[in-house]
Amino acid sequence: MSTNASPADPLATLGTLPGVADSVDSVRKAVDRVYGHRVMRRRSNEITSEAALRGARASAALSGADWALEEVRRRTDFSSEPEARTVGAALRLTAEAGQLLSIWRQSPLRVLARLHLVAASGSGADEAVGRPRLAGEPVDEPLIEGPLPGADEVAGRLDGLAELIIRGSSAPALVAAAVVHGELLALRPFVSHNGLVARAAERIVLVGSGLDPKSICPAEVGHAEQGRAAYAAAFEGYLSGTPEGMATWIAHCGRAVELGVRESTAVCEALQRGAA
């Protein structure tokens, strides 16, 4: 992450970039609306479960396994071929993320290691699972472009990211989630499944911050709906480290949350009509 922010609270400084406050306000209003839906008072657990399924499906799609929702819902074996393993990894990550909220603020690196362990289960690369990659180890992440930092840089920047998280920030949840997501995509700290882990970490921040405590606003759905090309273009903004680029990435992540809200609102309305 490259900004001109104060070292005391760089995330908060990102929140002052042009347009970011508008994105934060728009996301907050959208989240408040879906939480106020009448169905949420009676059936919030169903909305949470459906959001998890749809979020996992969308995250897998961004990692190259674009399956129909009903196929994900129907399937029981996720070990047979590469796309199935990607979908299975996304489902496991979404389930695991909710169990790691209490650990995140105290030990984010431990959480990231656990996420990779869960995602890469059964991948055959056991010696590299659950730890940052070492010098010379290849990275299997064909859909994420950009220069690949060396192992030493990865270790240093992961430590810096962990310090920011542990120290805490007055920055809006959207800003913190976007930075965690973007930094993990930029670093690709593991030998595989980095995109899936980055999006799971974004979910943890959004939920753990209190913005989306019931995990009903799947940003992954919004990232997938905007398309891989838009995702990659916005990520280029993050990689640039410029104020404009960072603001573009944060706004993209904000739009993803809003689209996730729209998805869950549609589920609420379907349940209300008795159609789901």
Side-chain angles (χ1 to χ4, degrees):
M1 180 178 61
S2 174
T3 73
N4 295 320
S6 162
D9 193 351
L11 295 181
T13 303
L14 290 175
T16 68
L17 293 174
V20 170
D22 290 340
S23 293
V24 168
D25 186 55
S26 182
V27 165
R28 168 50 69 188
K29 288 177 178 176
V31 172
D32 286 347
R33 282 195 299 272
V34 72
Y35 270 84
H37 198 287
R38 62 189 303 177
V39 169
M40 283 295 296
R41 292 195 293 271
R42 297 175 286 109
R43 305 178 72 172
S44 64
N45 288 343
E46 292 174 69
I47 308 302
T48 297
S49 296
E50 188 65 17
L53 181 69
R54 294 180 184 220
R57 188 220 70 82
S59 190
L62 286 167
S63 286
D66 193 359
W67 286 17
L69 181 63
E70 290 311 312
E71 175 65 11
V72 178
R73 203 188 300 279
R74 179 192 68 78
R75 193 74 168 257
T76 57
D77 176 16
F78 295 97
S79 62
S80 52
E81 72 272 358
E83 285 196 5
R85 290 194 291 272
T86 296
V87 174
L91 289 167
R92 292 192 301 273
L93 279 175
T94 301
E96 187 73 12
Q99 310 303 313
L100 299 172
L101 295 171
S102 62
I103 306 172
W104 175 255
R105 285 294 297 273
Q106 286 73 44
S107 185
L109 297 185
R110 180 181 162 197
V111 169
L112 293 174
R114 175 62 185 169
L115 290 174
H116 187 249
L117 183 66
V118 168
S121 174
S123 67
D126 294 345
E127 70 283 354
V129 169
R131 62 154 173 79
R133 55 188 168 84
L134 304 178
E137 287 184 326
V139 175
D140 180 15
E141 203 70 47
L143 299 177
I144 301 297
E145 304 259 335
L148 187 67
D152 289 344
E153 182 180 350
V154 167
R157 286 172 63 176
L158 280 178
D159 285 343
L161 182 64
E163 287 178 16
L164 284 177
I165 294 164
I166 293 167
R167 185 189 312 141
S169 172
S170 62
L174 171 63
V175 173
V179 167
V180 167
H181 184 170
E183 190 71 352
L184 292 174
L185 284 184
L187 293 178
R188 279 147 288 164
F190 303 108
V191 297
S192 65
H193 299 89
N194 290 287
L196 293 175
V197 168
R199 291 184 289 275
E202 179 185 49
R203 173 182 284 267
I204 287 173
V205 176
L206 292 170
V207 174
S209 67
L211 176 64
D212 179 23
K214 294 183 182 294
S215 195
I216 62 167
C217 307
E220 305 97 323
V221 169
H223 287 303
E225 187 170 333
Q226 291 178 90
R228 286 188 211 160
Y231 186 67
F235 176 55
E236 286 293 326
Y238 182 89
L239 285 178
S240 76
T242 64
E244 297 79 9
M246 296 296 287
T248 295
W249 172 247
I250 294 168
H252 179 87
C253 291
R255 180 59 179 156
V257 176
E258 291 183 67
L259 290 170
V261 166
R262 187 175 72 179
E263 186 87 353
S264 287
T265 300
V267 172
C268 285
E269 292 174 355
L271 287 172
Q272 186 169 289
R273 294 191 305 269

